[in-house]
Amino acid sequence: MYRLLFSQVLRRLDAEAVHHATVRALALLSTLPLLKRLLHRALAPSDPALRVTAFGVHFPGPLGLAAGFDKDAACAEALSAFGFGHVEVGTITAHAQPGNPRPRLFRDVRRRAVINRMGFNNAGAQAAARRLRRTRGVPVVVGVNIGKTKVVPESEAAADYVTSAKELAPLADYLVVNVSSPNTPGLRNLQAVELLRPLLAAVKEVADSTPRRTPLLVKIAPDLADDDVDAVADLALELGLDGIIATNTTIRHSGETGGLSGRPLKERSIEVLRRLRARVGDRLTLVSVGGVEDVDDVWERLLAGATLVQGYTGMIYEGPLWASRIHRGLSRRLRRHATTVPELIGRTAPDRSQG
Ligand SMILES: Cc1cc2nc3c(=O)[nH]c(=O)nc-3n(C[C@H](O)[C@H](O)[C@H](O)COP(=O)(O)O)c2cc1C
């Protein structure tokens, strides 16, 4: 049904207009407690075999929505009701900003991909905090992804992230430092260990100071050289971070300017996951994202050492029931193999880290 709607109608409409209409509809749904609860009962993962615990947080299923869809924390509850095991909101910056000029979101239907150069359009950390403080009608695990405000120079980046962290860490189930989006000039330079160390250390101090100690992760680009992936992994261990999210979109493509997501990203995303697992073993939680489309993909990432898996582009092509269908299919496969998600994690990964 969604495929028909997509091929006949949605793909002919402006991608960003469809996106905003969807977020508005989901935000409206978030205000309708009964419908939200009914949907949650029908669609949210409920099989105990799907449950997984990471950095002290309980997730009802391993598949979550990647950052960039719910940039302003407007509809996380509705997304949870549609079957996502967690929702990563953001990227949120300390100050509100409009992002890049439109058009800035493009579908590449043939390759099952998307290119975006949104540029962190969002209403800022205070507005997001107000939304996150609203009481919740259905259970939802919310990760909060923070980034640098565009006009803030690199030399003041750490202070800018700290402003967002102070506002949002107390409201987050986990916090993510995003240094890997390609659409804020210079942002990815912050992945260099000399710049990343003080930045992560400063945000960690804030995350550690919340009443529950908020888990902290860093999100990296697929375009890092292998040695740099290792260097970030070592740094994450050194600083006592909780995990790494790999990967963001890639700039290695020949289409519109911007970051490419979806199927073409799959191979490199898995490669980075395997590399990270070989380096850190189970000492960090690895969250795998990039080109996840179906149950096979989730299964493969879990075996390769991911504790959690995320997707965004898959939902654009498969529709709102995407996460629910994957969790259901995963549940059936787990039963056939008489196993559970926690038992699968890292089963095909190399024995132990050398690091
Ligand atoms: C339209 C769009 C906007 C995105 N915005 C963000 C963002 O604000 N912050 C972020 O960390 N990642 C962002 N991403 C990257 C996704 O979170 C994810 O890492 C990437 O798309 C790969 O996953 P996928 O192939 O399942 O889409 C965005 C992706 C898309 C398609």
Side-chain angles (χ1 to χ4, degrees):
M1 170 107 146
Y2 178 83
R3 280 189 197 151
L4 191 68
L5 179 70
F6 183 85
S7 63
Q8 297 306 313
V9 184
L10 297 181
R11 66 178 287 183
R12 294 174 218 280
L13 302 176
D14 173 65
E16 187 167 349
V18 173
H19 172 78
H20 288 306
T22 310
V23 171
R24 271 199 301 275
L26 289 168
L28 179 68
L29 174 63
S30 287
T31 64
L32 305 173
L34 188 63
L35 185 55
K36 199 167 51 183
R37 274 202 293 276
L38 283 174
L39 277 173
H40 191 269
R41 198 170 304 154
L43 299 175
S46 56
D47 180 354
L50 292 169
R51 287 182 201 150
V52 60
T53 299
F55 35 75
V57 177
H58 302 297
F59 295 77
L63 179 63
L65 181 62
F69 181 87
D70 188 7
K71 284 191 184 270
D72 282 315
C75 55
E77 279 183 75
L79 289 159
S80 168
F82 270 101
F84 283 100
H86 67 279
V87 179
E88 192 168 305
V89 302
T91 293
I92 297 162
T93 54
H95 303 282
Q97 57 182 31
N100 290 321
R102 292 192 196 188
R104 53 192 180 176
L105 179 59
F106 311 88
R107 305 185 196 94
D108 181 342
V109 179
R110 199 177 47 79
R111 294 202 289 165
R112 306 276 287 184
V114 162
I115 295 173
N116 90 83
R117 51 167 180 267
M118 305 297 288
F120 295 166
N121 52 306
N122 79 109
Q126 282 185 356
R130 273 196 299 277
R131 292 211 171 100
L132 288 169
R133 259 184 226 112
R134 285 183 198 151
T135 48
R136 307 202 173 148
V138 295
V140 50
V141 178
V142 177
V144 177
N145 177 310
I146 58 174
K148 186 180 80 65
T149 310
K150 184 177 179 186
V151 296
V152 166
E154 188 180 286
S155 57
E156 292 162 30
D160 189 60
Y161 278 88
V162 161
T163 302
S164 296
K166 282 186 176 152
E167 198 72 59
L168 296 165
L171 303 165
D173 290 306
Y174 68 87
L175 190 67
V176 183
V177 169
N178 177 12
V179 279
S180 50
S181 288
N183 305 310
T184 296
L187 187 85
R188 287 166 310 140
N189 298 341
L190 299 172
Q191 291 174 112
V193 165
E194 325 73 78
L195 297 178
L196 192 55
R197 182 178 282 110
L199 167 58
L200 289 177
V203 176
K204 185 160 193 309
E205 211 178 295
V206 178
D208 283 349
S209 71
T210 63
R212 288 177 303 111
R213 195 194 83 82
T214 308
L216 181 64
L217 293 85
V218 61
K219 182 167 177 180
I220 64 172
D223 307 324
L224 284 179
D226 288 343
D227 286 347
D228 295 329
V229 172
D230 292 348
V232 173
D234 293 349
L235 179 65
L237 284 172
E238 175 197 318
L239 295 177
L241 257 57
D242 294 274
I244 300 180
I245 304 186
T247 66
N248 215 309
T249 56
T250 177
I251 55 164
R252 298 219 172 105
H253 65 91
S254 54
E256 285 281 346
T257 301
L260 178 77
S261 59
R263 191 177 287 170
L265 188 55
K266 190 177 303 208
E267 201 179 321
R268 178 61 183 159
S269 172
I270 295 175
E271 206 173 86
V272 174
L273 169 64
R274 292 195 202 287
R275 189 161 190 101
L276 287 170
R277 180 71 187 201
R279 191 81 179 178
V280 305
D282 59 7
R283 290 176 292 171
L284 294 175
T285 294
L286 302 179
V287 183
S288 184
V289 50
V292 171
E293 297 181 283
D294 53 25
V295 176
D296 288 343
D297 292 327
V298 174
W299 192 267
E300 183 180 16
R301 312 273 170 132
L302 294 170
L303 288 177
T307 300
L308 297 166
V309 178
Q310 296 180 335
Y312 181 166
T313 306
M315 182 177 68
I316 295 180
Y317 288 105
E318 294 295 322
L321 299 180
W322 179 65
S324 177
R325 270 200 302 264
I326 290 189
H327 276 132
R328 206 165 297 152
L330 189 59
S331 171
R332 278 195 296 271
R333 193 176 299 185
L334 289 168
R335 194 141 305 153
R336 270 206 309 281
H337 289 78
T339 188
T340 63
V341 166
E343 282 172 9
L344 280 188
I345 297 165
R347 241 197 231 169
T348 63
D351 259 341
R352 188 62 198 145
S353 70
Q354 329 102 21

